[in-house]
Amino acid sequence: MGLEVSSASQSASFPFGARLAGVRLSSTRPAYPGPLIESPAVTIAPAFLSMLTLHPGVRVKAALYDGVVNLTLRPSGGGTAISYDLDSVDIASQRLIAIPGAAAAGTLSGSGNLWLSYGDIADTGDGELSATGLTLTSPFATSPIRLGDGHSKFKLDQGTLTIEELKTSGGDLTLTAAGTIQLAPDPGQSELAIEFTLSPAPAAAAQLAALLAMLPHPPGPQPYRLTGPLNAPRIN
């Protein structure tokens, strides 16, 4: 799958399983050096429900960026089927996805399913993600931009991530978006094809004036189009 796992130490976890400390998930591809994900503590144990259905698997519980992630993994169709659940993961601490020229904060929760082949990081799947306390910091805004709460639905098929729905509410800007991301081995080279709209709150007009003036047209019902690679996106 182009991934490798390392840990600083391992110990037994009663009654079955193992406990790992200082865990790092890294890509074996030179295009993305360094860890994708880091966790101070991970517990691995047999997934007994999967065994009862004749699909042996493992359960993984990991502390992740001030939150918790639960995974169930089992062999399926020549690859690995994964069910996941995220709870209150701190967005600012993660390094998997970077926003050029900006920084994001908030907490992320959600659940879904993925299927991974042995040759790719991810092939198919679906899920939902929710975020609370979303903020963006940009050099073109006089103070952090509050996006409030967000909710999204997505599907993954043969390396194409389809954002079926994404919407924020309760902040300085209301954002709606839909489109696709063609995933690449180097996340920064993933290709964007997303349409989105912005609706600023009247109280935030002065704060956002410089940022909104850089857009191709004023905010409104006409969508913007976000294209190009993730590390050098274009808006038109």
Side-chain angles (χ1 to χ4, degrees), residues 74-117:
R74 59 179 178 81
S76 174
T80 303
I82 299 176
S83 298
Y84 67 87
D85 181 85
L86 291 75
D87 184 21
S88 301
V89 174
D90 180 42
I91 296 172
S93 300
Q94 63 85 32
R95 292 183 292 177
L96 181 59
I97 299 175
I99 304 174
T107 59
L108 188 67
S109 301
S111 61
N113 302 281
L114 296 172
W115 184 83
L116 284 65
S117 73

Side-chain angles (χ1 to χ4, degrees), residues 168-186:
T168 67
S169 61
D172 302 322
L173 275 176
T174 296
L175 166 69
T176 63
T180 62
I181 304 175
Q182 185 65 49
L183 301 178
D186 176 357

Side-chain angles (χ1 to χ4, degrees), residues 121-134:
I121 290 180
D123 276 310
T124 61
D126 59 76
E128 297 188 20
L129 292 172
S130 296
T132 59
L134 277 174

Side-chain angles (χ1 to χ4, degrees), residues 27 37 88 100 133 147 163 185 196 205 210 219:
S27 172
I37 298 173
S88 301
L147 294 178
I163 302 171
F196 67 96

